[in-house]
Amino acid sequence: WSNADVQFHALALKQLLERKDALPPAQYEALRLLGIEDYSSEEAGKVLGKTASNVRTQATKARRKLREHELV
């Protein structure tokens, strides 16, 4: 990763952690794994014991909730 990538991911992680309490745990974990840790939906599903489709759905719901509450 480039220095800019590292800085972007560090900032995104910091912002997500600051808003962790605004999301249900399943949504938070899905968004963290897909959006910050750069897991594929299949990999995240294995970690979380969910289907890849469920992980993508939870991450989408998390993004929507954060946008609706102007948290991103």
Side-chain angles (χ1 to χ4, degrees):
W1 289 14
S2 71
N3 189 35
D5 288 336
V6 171
Q7 288 178 343
F8 172 80
H9 283 285
L11 177 60
L13 179 58
K14 179 179 181 259
Q15 290 174 337
L16 182 59
L17 289 174
E18 289 171 353
R19 293 156 177 87
K20 180 179 180 179
D21 294 337
L23 297 172
Q27 291 179 13
Y28 168 78
E29 288 301 325
L31 187 56
R32 182 182 67 81
L33 290 174
L34 294 182
I36 304 298
E37 301 295 334
D38 204 27
Y39 280 46
S40 70
S41 55
E42 290 78 14
E43 292 168 327
K46 287 179 184 176
V47 169
L48 298 173
K50 306 288 182 183
T51 65
S53 176
N54 180 269
V55 172
R56 288 190 303 271
T57 298
Q58 292 300 319
T60 298
K61 287 180 178 181
R63 288 184 194 101
R64 185 177 302 128
K65 185 170 187 170
L66 292 174
R67 272 197 296 284
E68 286 172 359
H69 291 92
E70 298 181 26
L71 297 175
V72 290

